[in-house]
């Protein structure tokens, strides 16, 4: 009886894994079908390197270079803030904080992940945007910098939670062996714990980046939605996800503007796939060492 149950469970897990791959392939195929039709009419090089996004003007222009730069600025800015703060927070919770405080901190951080993005965007508009405008004496606080701060706040719960689990999973024998050889607590954390937990930490960072890249509502509310090439992080920007969310309802199904939005989604899908693939290669090399 137990053997039959194990066989059924293995079959269910196998089917779920296959279905996940099938769904991803179907999504890519759907995006490719609509996006490729646009590339045939407009050209992929012109689409990616174009500096103007005017889809509804008399002479429509579909250049997504400002959208790509805006997405990169916001994502990189959020990672610069969220990654070091998230990893240090995970180290503190797992290795430094007292046991009672550890449980409270971890639960509080996990609850932060449940806050809806629209609420975070609203709070950012009311509090962060005026503060940034006043602090840096700029015309508007709706900038890539404001978006980076709020997205970092959204990504940190994921980074902290997954990193803390990875750090906590490091065998106690590693730490005890390092301490027995004369290493200090901080040397043990830096040279043993961090290195052993690195695959899990990298996975946490990639999950956090995925949250940042795919975020829409908070970015739409805070970054200014200006589809032009910014010259600094203190200027309004527009991301690819914000364009898709704000303009899809205004397009004619099957029109060139409609297909252009699918082309943006295809570029975003491929970029995300490449980032995850590179992370998987890094994790594979790290495990083989």
């Amino acid at each position: 009886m137990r053997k039959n149950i194990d066989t059924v469970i293995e079959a269910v897990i196998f089917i779920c894994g296959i279905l996940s791959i099938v769904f991803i392939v179907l999504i890519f195929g759907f995006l490719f079908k609509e996006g490729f039709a646009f590339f045939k009419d407009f050209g992929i090089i012109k689409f990616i390197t174009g500096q103007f996004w005017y889809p509804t003007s008399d002479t429509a222009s579909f250049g997504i270079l400002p959208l790509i730069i805006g997405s990169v600025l916001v994502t990189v800015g959020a990672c610069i803030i969220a990654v070091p703060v998230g990893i240090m927070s995970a180290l503190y919770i797992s290795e430094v904080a007292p046991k009672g405080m550890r449980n409270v901190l971890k639960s509080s951080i996990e609850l932060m992940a449940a806050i809806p993005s629209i609420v975070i965007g609203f709070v950012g508009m009311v509090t962060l945007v005026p503060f940034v405008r006043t602090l840096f004496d700029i015309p508007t606080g709706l900038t890539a910098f404001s978006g980076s701060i709020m997205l970092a706040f959204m990504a940190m719960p994921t980074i902290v939670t997954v990193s803390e689990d990875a750090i906590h999973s490091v065998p106690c024998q590693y730490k005890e062996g390092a301490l027995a050889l004369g290493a200090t607590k901080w040397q043990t954390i830096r040279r043993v714990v961090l290195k052993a937990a690195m695959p899990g930490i990298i996975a946490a960072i990639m999950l956090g980046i995925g949250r940042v890249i795919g975020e829409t509502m908070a970015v739409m509310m805070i970054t200014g939605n200006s589809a032009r090439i910014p010259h600094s992080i203190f200027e309004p920007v527009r991301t690819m996800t914000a364009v898709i969310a704000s303009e899809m309802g205004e397009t004619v199904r099957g029109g060139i503007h409609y297909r252009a939005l699918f082309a943006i989604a295809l570029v975003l899908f491929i970029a995300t796939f490449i980032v995850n693939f590179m992370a998987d290669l890094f994790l594979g090399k790290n495990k083989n060492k």
Side-chain angles (χ1 to χ4, degrees), residues 58-208:
D58 294 334
T59 56
S61 178
F62 298 97
I64 65 168
L65 184 61
L67 310 181
I68 293 175
I69 294 176
S71 299
V72 170
L73 269 180
V74 171
T75 301
V76 171
C79 291
I80 290 174
I81 299 171
V83 170
V85 174
I87 294 175
M88 287 188 290
S89 300
L91 281 172
Y92 177 77
I93 293 172
S94 181
E95 300 295 323
V96 180
K99 187 175 181 180
M101 184 182 295
R102 181 183 308 166
N103 296 330
V104 172
L105 288 174
K106 188 171 182 181
S107 299
S108 301
I109 291 173
E110 289 174 350
L111 285 175
M112 288 169 55
I115 302 175
S117 60
I118 189 71
V119 175
I120 294 177
F122 179 73
V123 172
M125 286 188 66
V126 174
T127 59
L128 179 63
V129 168
F131 176 75
V132 170
R133 183 183 66 242
T134 304
L135 179 64
F136 296 101
D137 192 23
I138 52 181
T140 177
L142 298 170
T143 62
F145 180 73
S146 301
S148 297
I149 294 176
M150 296 310 297
L151 288 180
F153 178 80
M154 296 175 68
M156 264 192 284
T158 302
I159 296 175
V160 173
T161 301
V162 180
S163 296
E164 196 277 334
D165 289 338
I167 294 169
H168 188 71
S169 298
V170 176
C172 293
Q173 293 87 338
Y174 290 8
K175 307 174 191 177
E176 293 170 355
L179 292 172
L181 290 172
T184 64
K185 183 176 182 178
W186 294 109
Q187 287 175 331
T188 302
I189 291 174
R190 182 167 59 91
R191 297 183 179 181
V192 177
V193 176
L194 273 179
K195 187 173 182 180
M198 189 55 64
I201 293 174
I202 295 297
I205 293 172
M206 298 314 302
L207 289 173

Side-chain angles (χ1 to χ4, degrees), residues 185-259:
K185 183 176 182 178
W186 294 109
Q187 287 175 331
T188 302
I189 291 174
R190 182 167 59 91
R191 297 183 179 181
V192 177
V193 176
L194 273 179
K195 187 173 182 180
M198 189 55 64
I201 293 174
I202 295 297
I205 293 172
M206 298 314 302
L207 289 173
I209 292 176
R211 176 74 190 273
V212 170
I213 293 177
E215 182 51 46
T216 303
M217 292 307 302
V219 173
M220 288 177 61
M221 299 174 69
I222 298 176
T223 57
N225 276 325
S226 176
R228 61 186 183 86
I229 297 177
H231 296 91
S232 75
I233 199 171
F234 298 106
E235 293 184 11
V237 297
R238 198 173 196 187
T239 63
M240 291 186 282
T241 53
V243 170
I244 296 171
S246 61
E247 297 183 9
M248 181 58 75
E250 304 173 358
T251 61
V252 178
R253 184 178 179 85
I256 188 170
H257 187 190
Y258 176 86
R259 296 198 300 270

